[in-house]
Amino acid sequence: MSDNLTVVILAAGLGTRMKSRKAKVLHEAGGMTLVEHVVRSALAVTSPERVTVVVGHQADRVQATLAPTGVRFALQTEQKGTAHALEMCRSTVPDHEGRLIVLYGDCPLLSVDTIRLLLADHAGSGATATVITTELENPTGYGRAVVGEGRVLKAIVEEKAASPEQKKIREINSGIYCFEAPLLWEHLSRIEPNPASNEYYLTDIVDLFNREGLSVRALLHANADELMGINTRAELAVVDNIFRERKTRELMLAGVTIRRPETVTVDMQVRVGMETTIGAFAQLLGDTTVGEDCAIGPGCILTNCVVADRVEISAYTVAQDSRIESGATIGPFARLRPGNEVGEDAHIGNFVELKKTKMGTGAKAGHLAYLGDSEIGAGSNIGAGTIFCNYDGAKKHKTQIGDGSFVGSNSTLVAPVEVGKGAYIGAGSVITEKVPEDALAIGRGRQAVKEGWAKRRRERKG
Ligand code: UD1
Ligand code: CA
């Protein structure tokens, strides 16, 4: 971290080209909003009170998203251009000393290494301003960098104002700048509105500095991908893909096997331990952690889950906000709605749905069950087709099953209800009252057998 380094992130625009009701910087790529990515990079080089985000469109929502980071905010009520946006920070930034980096909120792929490179180059050259540029096959839409001898940046010409000759320039402005802060604040207010759009362009400061004899450098960056600014949803998808590739690659290099990685979606914050295998089309989302030696089958979707070591989650299991202890086996086709704790070596089989359920160590529910608002003791076995009736039409109630119990297939437990330790429930029972420890409870119509009935019926019809 450098002292006296201020970062300003411009994020007030609506992003008309997104054709969205939502502000552009709130759209997500790699499982995080665009502006969060940029703030994350900024916080790697300076402290939160030295980062100011300029908000405008949906300011409340942008601020709420970023509140946990501790950064400062400046409000730009009317979007009158990038220079005007920066001007809004004049009194929000802690001081006008040292260096100031400007980043755009719609440029989420920028790496911390590149920001450090910018700082080092800027310090080394002694320039008043340094701008990161890159060369693009198709520079349409970007500001063109007019670069002279010795990488001197003479001007940035916006697409709309560019002459046919200038439009041919393939070196573009990335929108990432480093300034000597005192000189920036001194000159910023002298930028005139652009005659075509009536907006104040920050890019005009380059020409202004040049006319004052202050040096501006263009730092050419080879990785154009990293500098991509998002203006449309098509570009958003491209950037999302790049984040996905980065993440799966990072995991594979750390010892995770990923089958068909191009189909797998892993959010930025997700952690996965070594020797774990992730199947094709799996999605690990949000604040999910998976331990070592696990197998996550194809098509599984885990959101905000904590999975310990040696867990096997088979194909097409969907789990949310749940904790799964080591050695557990789940799926295929299991559904864990929020709030479950699945104990060590527990087993949840196909078409079993869990909600707010705590399964003890080694407990099993192998097939076709709904287990909601319940606690199931260690070593218990829940038969196929068991339903916990947790909802009476108005309220939710709890089902409690003691350790080592056996619930026969197709049983219905009407909550609130309790089954004691080591108890048995006969298959097909409807249980409405407490079952004591070690008891057998059967709650079903008795079987009647009518000898010869079927034969007589056939004969009658014949
Ligand atoms: C800008 C640059 C262009 C560069 C490109 C790189 C200017 C004038 N042009 O163009 O040279 O090649 O980025 O991606 O700077 N914003 C505000 N308030 C405003 C206007 C914009 O906060 O009044 C914010 C936006 O929310 C956005 C960022 O500034 O995050 C850039 O604005 P945008 O309109 O996307 O600029 P570009 O046309 O892409
Ligand atoms: Ca842009």
Side-chain angles (χ1 to χ4, degrees):
M1 298 232 179
S2 354
D3 298 332
N4 269 359
L5 175 65
T6 304
V7 179
V8 172
I9 299 167
L10 306 188
L14 170 65
T16 325
R17 289 163 281 183
M18 292 297 278
K19 306 255 166 66
S20 175
R21 274 182 284 274
K22 189 160 72 176
K24 174 166 68 178
V25 296
L26 291 175
H27 281 262
E28 288 186 10
M32 213 191 271
T33 62
L34 301 182
V35 69
E36 279 175 286
H37 283 288
V38 182
V39 167
R40 222 159 94 127
S41 303
L43 291 177
V45 292
T46 197
S47 52
E49 67 277 7
R50 297 199 70 90
V51 177
T52 296
V53 180
V54 183
V55 293
H57 269 285
Q58 295 170 8
D60 292 353
R61 284 176 67 185
V62 179
Q63 276 183 247
T65 304
L66 296 176
T69 63
V71 297
R72 296 185 180 195
F73 299 99
L75 187 65
Q76 185 195 28
T77 41
E78 244 186 299
Q79 278 67 61
K80 294 197 230 164
T82 42
H84 179 258
L86 184 54
E87 185 64 45
M88 299 299 107
C89 304
R90 190 177 282 276
S91 56
T92 322
V93 292
D95 54 50
H96 291 183
E97 308 294 312
R99 302 206 164 105
L100 187 144
I101 286 182
V102 176
L103 305 174
Y104 290 170
D106 64 352
C107 190
L109 284 163
L110 178 69
S111 72
V112 178
D113 286 348
T114 301
I115 300 178
R116 293 213 175 97
L117 209 69
L118 171 67
L119 278 167
D121 186 274
H122 180 83
S125 74
T128 299
T130 307
V131 179
I132 299 186
T133 62
T134 193
E135 275 177 348
L136 296 183
E137 274 311 315
N138 176 12
T140 311
Y142 285 92
R144 308 299 204 281
V146 184
V147 181
E149 282 290 304
R151 301 297 306 156
V152 168
L153 183 61
K154 292 183 179 158
I156 297 170
V157 188
E158 291 304 308
E159 173 89 26
K160 278 184 205 151
S163 65
E165 246 348 90
Q166 287 169 326
K167 279 190 181 148
K168 286 189 197 142
I169 300 177
R170 285 181 36 230
E171 187 169 348
I172 60 102
N173 167 31
S174 68
I176 300 153
Y177 319 81
C178 183
F179 295 101
E180 290 301 302
L183 289 165
L184 166 74
W185 293 114
E186 195 185 317
H187 289 81
L188 186 63
S189 47
R190 286 167 49 191
I191 291 177
E192 301 280 340
N194 180 283
S197 64
N198 223 16
E199 283 187 15
Y200 297 82
Y201 289 162
L202 178 57
T203 45
D204 285 349
I205 205 160
V206 175
D207 180 50
L208 200 66
F209 279 158
N210 273 289
R211 280 191 275 124
E212 298 273 315
L214 298 167
S215 71
V216 185
R217 263 178 63 79
L219 174 62
L220 186 64
H221 191 65
N223 181 359
D225 269 1
E226 201 190 304
L227 305 176
M228 195 172 158
I230 294 173
N231 294 320
T232 65
R233 295 195 203 224
E235 287 162 353
L236 185 71
V238 172
V239 168
D240 183 63
N241 239 333
I242 294 171
F243 274 121
R244 301 308 181 189
E245 269 174 41
R246 267 194 200 171
K247 183 69 183 186
T248 48
R249 196 179 146 74
E250 174 194 311
L251 290 177
M252 290 188 284
L253 293 178
V256 177
T257 297
I258 304 183
R259 313 241 184 255
R260 306 277 310 280
E262 70 280 12
T263 66
V264 167
T265 302
V266 183
D267 280 355
M268 303 291 293
Q269 314 89 299
V270 172
R271 291 155 299 252
V272 183
M274 63 184 294
E275 301 294 6
T276 285
T277 299
I278 300 172
F281 293 100
Q283 300 190 14
L284 306 184
L285 309 176
D287 199 5
T288 290
T289 303
V290 178
E292 298 183 0
D293 299 300
C294 293
I296 310 294
C300 287
I301 305 175
L302 308 185
T303 309
N304 303 328
C305 287
V306 178
V307 179
D309 298 337
R310 289 176 291 101
V311 170
E312 195 182 320
I313 303 181
S314 303
Y316 306 106
T317 291
V318 178
Q320 197 186 338
D321 297 290
S322 292
R323 192 182 174 87
I324 298 153
E325 298 300 345
S326 59
T329 53
I330 298 181
F333 300 103
R335 166 127 195 253
L336 278 67
R337 288 163 53 205
N340 305 295
E341 282 176 47
V342 178
E344 277 179 38
D345 302 319
H347 171 65
I348 294 163
N350 41 211
F351 308 110
V352 173
E353 175 181 343
L354 254 59
K355 191 213 75 176
K356 279 196 190 155
T357 281
K358 191 171 169 179
M359 295 268 290
T361 302
K364 292 185 175 65
H367 341 255
L368 300 159
Y370 171 63
L371 313 175
D373 299 302
S374 60
E375 246 174 74
I376 298 164
S380 292
N381 193 316
I382 309 294
T386 296
I387 304 288
F388 291 173
C389 306
N390 61 327
Y391 186 50
D392 62 9
K395 276 194 183 146
K396 303 278 168 70
H397 302 280
K398 232 181 138 173
T399 299
Q400 222 148 352
I401 312 271
D403 293 352
S405 319
F406 180 92
V407 177
S409 293
N410 211 33
S411 293
T412 303
L413 286 90
V414 183
V417 72
E418 208 178 305
V419 176
K421 274 194 239 166
Y424 260 68
I425 291 173
S429 292
V430 177
I431 300 297
T432 54
E433 281 162 37
K434 179 172 173 158
V435 179
E437 221 175 289
D438 297 323
L440 166 68
I442 306 174
R444 63 181 185 226
R446 221 168 228 292
Q447 180 171 328
V449 176
K450 301 185 178 176
E451 291 288 350
W453 180 91
K455 189 166 178 241
R456 286 197 298 278
R457 181 170 179 267
R458 276 194 302 274
E459 285 164 359
R460 258 203 320 273
K461 285 202 172 167

